[in-house]
Amino acid sequence: METIQMLLGGLGALAFLVGFVGMLFSETVPLVALPVGAVAAITVWILDATPAGRRNTARNKAETARQAGIRERKAARAEREREQERQDALAREATRAAQALRRAVRELLDGLPERGAPQEEAIAYCLSGTGAARNPRVQAEAERLARRHVAVDQRILCVALSVTSGPGKRPALLILTDRAAAVSDRGTSYRYDPDPGDVTEGWGVQVGDLLFSFLDNPRLRTALAARAEAAALPAPVTPLAGRPEPRLIRTPREAELVAVDWMRYLGFTDAVATPVGADEGIDVISERGLAQVKMEGKPTSRPTVQQLHGVATAEEKEALFFSLGGYTSPASTWASQHGIALFRYDHQGTPQAVNPPALRLMETADARASEPADAEHGGDA
């Protein structure tokens, strides 16, 4: 019956087509074709109304629905495959980016000066290859910022400049280390503890109103990624046990006495303060070393450090310098080259090593202080 319906349907459609076209050429053709088409259509309708016709119609609808379902499933599968391809492409791109970042981090850490190297050297390395490398003002400002807020045992990972918002405005400066950060902006400097919320992926680091963009500072993104790995590296031993207790310093003589305590802690166990007025520039002396102590607000200059070195060389002793105001960049560089240990102390009497010779002395003393008591006596019972 289905075949008959298809034939009748085709005949009816053809008859109507012939009838309508025939109207343009003949009056007889439509009178024959149109009734034939009508009869065919009525016959198809009657056949559809029979039980067999209804079953056939139901089968046709079911088959149509099945084919539609197949097409929808194919389309959905094709869309899933395209989406999976997009996700795979994104994953491959993310993997390549992560690998490139890891390589950049390794290159950065391998290329950095060793921990304890002069800060000027680390800053120069961080600025190399950037537009600020040939700007002595940026180098000098970064050195001042590092001397104020960056410990000598921290590794400087990046020096970045902020985005400026107006003509003639000087950019702020950011120094990022393995354990901290510092900012210098319009004559004011301060320590800054980076927070993950300050970092906008693909954009930069926001510090208050300051923006340090990745576009202007390409090494900044790498430095941020390197911080966790750099901080995980073995840290210097710095136990507080055994160190001299903090002591308020109000006079130069008190500063000299505090320096005596620290000289003894650093291994110069027979250190004593020289008499007042008869030191000839030397404030603390021992069999193996001597030290000068300055309680001044301004940084100690290179000639002063050179003078101490001359006395120490003549007496064949190690030279140490304790300064409240810190040191000028030439003084720090010269002292590092000639093995003079530089310490900067505060009014609580706590010194901080500011160059490699001082750092080595402090680390050795801290390691010695952290050894078990029986180790000091060779383990004898």
Side-chain angles (χ1 to χ4, degrees):
M1 179 177 289
E2 184 177 355
T3 303
I4 295 174
Q5 288 178 303
M6 291 178 62
L7 292 174
L8 289 173
L11 176 61
L14 180 59
F16 280 119
L17 178 60
V18 171
F20 286 116
V21 174
M23 290 180 182
L24 302 175
F25 306 100
S26 172
E27 295 179 357
T28 305
V29 173
L31 294 177
V32 176
L34 292 178
V36 172
V39 170
I42 292 171
T43 303
V44 171
W45 179 78
I46 292 173
L47 291 175
D48 284 339
T50 64
R54 288 195 293 271
R55 287 194 297 273
N56 183 57
T57 301
R59 283 196 302 272
N60 290 337
K61 290 181 178 179
E63 179 63 20
T64 301
R66 188 179 72 84
Q67 294 296 331
I70 291 174
R71 289 192 296 272
E72 289 177 359
R73 287 192 293 274
K74 286 183 178 179
R77 185 167 58 251
E79 180 59 30
R80 287 196 299 270
E81 290 175 352
R82 287 193 294 270
E83 180 61 26
Q84 186 61 46
E85 290 177 357
R86 287 194 293 268
Q87 294 298 329
D88 291 344
L90 291 175
R92 289 192 296 271
E93 182 62 29
T95 300
R96 286 193 293 269
Q99 291 173 345
L101 184 59
R102 283 195 295 271
R103 287 194 298 270
V105 166
R106 179 46 47 201
E107 291 174 1
L108 172 65
L109 295 179
D110 290 345
L112 284 175
E114 64 178 2
R115 183 175 58 82
Q119 293 176 331
E120 296 80 4
E121 181 181 342
I123 290 170
Y125 173 80
C126 291
L127 290 176
S128 62
T130 69
R134 294 178 297 277
N135 189 333
R137 182 191 64 79
V138 173
Q139 175 82 22
E141 185 176 353
E143 291 175 4
R144 287 194 297 270
L145 180 61
R147 284 196 297 271
R148 291 191 185 102
H149 300 290
V150 177
V152 69
D153 61 339
Q154 294 181 12
R155 301 191 76 183
I156 297 177
L157 303 177
C158 180
V159 178
L161 299 176
S162 69
V163 177
T164 55
S165 58
K169 182 179 179 181
R170 291 174 56 178
L173 199 67
L174 168 68
I175 292 181
L176 189 69
T177 78
D178 57 347
R179 298 199 298 275
V183 175
S184 175
D185 180 27
R186 291 173 291 186
T188 301
S189 63
Y190 52 89
R191 287 180 60 85
Y192 161 65
D193 294 323
D195 187 276
D198 298 336
V199 181
T200 303
E201 186 62 30
W203 187 243
V205 179
Q206 191 80 37
V207 184
D209 296 332
L210 303 174
L211 173 64
F212 299 88
S213 75
F214 295 143
L215 180 62
D216 296 330
N217 305 282
R219 285 184 179 174
L220 182 55
R221 187 198 303 272
T222 304
L224 288 169
R227 292 186 78 243
E229 185 173 343
L233 296 175
V237 179
T238 55
L240 297 180
R243 285 189 171 190
E245 292 291 331
R247 188 166 71 181
L248 181 63
I249 295 177
R250 292 163 295 188
T251 66
R253 187 59 176 175
E254 289 177 338
E256 294 171 3
L257 296 177
V258 168
V260 169
D261 292 341
W262 278 95
M263 285 270 292
R264 292 175 179 175
Y265 177 76
L266 294 173
F268 304 91
T269 55
D270 59 341
V272 294
T274 58
V276 177
D279 56 17
E280 297 181 351
I282 305 303
D283 301 303
V284 183
I285 191 167
S286 75
E287 183 179 354
R288 295 189 300 108
L290 49 82
Q292 187 170 357
V293 183
K294 285 288 185 182
M295 191 175 177
E296 298 177 347
K298 63 180 181 179
T300 299
S301 63
R302 184 175 66 179
T304 304
V305 174
Q306 289 174 322
Q307 181 181 4
L308 172 66
H309 178 259
V311 176
T313 300
E315 298 189 15
E316 298 182 349
K317 295 183 178 183
E318 293 185 49
L320 296 84
F321 212 115
F322 295 82
S323 173
L324 178 66
Y327 306 87
T328 63
S329 178
S332 178
T333 301
W334 195 90
S336 298
Q337 294 171 346
H338 291 80
I340 303 174
L342 302 183
F343 294 91
R344 180 177 183 176
Y345 66 90
D346 56 22
H347 285 283
Q348 298 302 315
T350 302
Q352 179 187 51
V354 299
N355 74 336
L359 179 63
R360 287 191 290 269
L361 279 176
M362 188 69 78
E363 288 181 344
T364 300
D366 286 337
R368 185 170 52 246
S370 66
E371 293 176 353
D374 58 350
E376 297 179 0
H377 302 286
D380 296 335

